[in-house]
Amino acid sequence: MTGRADDVDPQSSPYADIIERGGLRATVLVRARGNGIDLGVTGAAVDPASGYEPWNTAEFPSPRGMMRIHLGHGTRRFSFTLDSAHHHVWASGSTEDLGEGVAMMAYWRAGAKLAELAERFPFMRFDRLSQAYEDGNPVETQWDILIGDDTFRTYRPLLLVLRADPELRLVFPYFSMWVLRLATDCHAAHPDLLFLGPHPEGGEEGYLLWSSKAPEDIREFRRLDDLVPAARTLLSELPGSPG
């Protein structure tokens, strides 16, 4: 599905009415105005790179980040994503009823909590980490999530000793490409990072350690007792260190 309405056959599209009204954004605004809902915007959203308004996507602001809508493929369905202003997703879901989705966005903009949102609009889902962001304890919760996840059970001894350290437990842990990353700021798009990867020669306590400040300086460790103080020192050298 492309972004140009003139690339789509209205007769065969499940979104013929939306095309006729000028696109998804225009349709949502008409629906919102008809129900006395203010979505915080007026007029069209033209893509500055292409000079046209995409007909099949729309986004609207909220005090907690952008609310985005995409159309489903093949069958008529509306997918909603509540992004945050801090590079994580609050909640997402899809429904066949656009009016229900518009009402959901209005409820979110009015300040609804995640649990309230999901109770009133069951098609919206959120996870434990999103709840932690709302509660203000995402770092603590993320350590618990990773330690309890059997996907990363080979890393569990490392995760446990890192969390036990009073300084290292303040950073936000996550995995990417089987490398543990410790982010100095869980709200930043590009935080300073520590990286811990498995030692190429194997072994349960064999790890490599480096940082985003000096990615070429990779240090090898065989013992967790040696790795933890080295990681703490390397963390203190990062500009965004929480310590």
Side-chain angles (χ1 to χ4, degrees), residues 217-233:
D217 182 15
I218 300 177
R219 310 176 192 186
E220 301 182 11
F221 296 90
R222 284 296 184 181
R223 300 176 61 250
L224 291 177
D225 287 346
D226 297 326
L227 171 64
V228 171
R232 188 190 311 120
T233 299

Side-chain angles (χ1 to χ4, degrees), residues 189-213:
H190 304 288
D192 296 301
L193 296 168
L194 290 186
F195 300 88
L196 295 102
H199 196 285
E201 295 180 8
E204 290 187 1
E205 294 190 359
Y207 297 98
L208 302 179
L209 170 69
W210 68 100
S211 76
S212 55
K213 181 181 178 182

Side-chain angles (χ1 to χ4, degrees), residues 41-242:
V41 298
T42 58
V46 176
D47 182 349
S50 59
Y52 74 93
E53 179 187 0
W55 76 272
N56 56 353
T57 64
E59 60 181 36
F60 301 91
S62 85
R64 286 169 284 182
M66 201 63 73
M67 306 180 295
R68 307 184 193 278
I69 315 172
H70 291 82
L71 300 182
H73 293 268
T75 59
R76 187 180 177 93
R77 197 157 193 88
F78 303 93
S79 296
F80 292 84
T81 301
L82 302 179
D83 285 339
S84 75
H86 301 295
H87 312 285
H88 67 86
V89 172
W90 288 112
S92 61
S94 66
T95 176
E96 297 177 356
D97 185 346
L98 181 58
E100 182 182 39
V102 172
M104 180 276 297
M105 291 193 296
Y107 193 54
W108 181 248
R109 289 190 79 248
K113 298 295 186 180
L114 288 169
E116 295 171 336
L117 185 80
E119 181 177 3
R120 184 162 175 177
F121 300 97
F123 71 92
M124 294 298 290
R125 301 285 189 272
F126 66 94
D127 60 19
R128 181 181 173 189
L129 186 57
S130 294
Q131 183 66 64
Y133 272 106
E134 184 174 272
D135 295 340
N137 59 353
V139 173
E140 176 185 347
T141 300
Q142 178 72 347
W143 280 108
D144 289 342
I145 290 173
L146 293 186
I147 289 172
D149 190 339
D150 284 342
T151 304
F152 308 113
R153 60 183 176 274
T154 59
Y155 272 94
R156 193 166 289 154
L158 173 63
L159 292 167
L160 287 168
V161 298
L162 292 174
R163 187 180 64 173
D165 184 271
E167 295 179 27
L168 294 172
R169 71 185 304 161
L170 300 178
V171 296
F172 185 83
Y174 68 96
F175 283 94
S176 179
M177 300 181 68
W178 207 244
V179 172
L180 175 62
R181 297 152 195 259
L182 305 180
T184 56
D185 186 347
C186 65
H187 298 295
H190 304 288
D192 296 301
L193 296 168
L194 290 186
F195 300 88
L196 295 102
H199 196 285
E201 295 180 8
E204 290 187 1
E205 294 190 359
Y207 297 98
L208 302 179
L209 170 69
W210 68 100
S211 76
S212 55
K213 181 181 178 182
E216 72 286 347
D217 182 15
I218 300 177
R219 310 176 192 186
E220 301 182 11
F221 296 90
R222 284 296 184 181
R223 300 176 61 250
L224 291 177
D225 287 346
D226 297 326
L227 171 64
V228 171
R232 188 190 311 120
T233 299
L234 203 57
L235 175 66
S236 68
E237 297 171 357
L238 294 178
S241 172

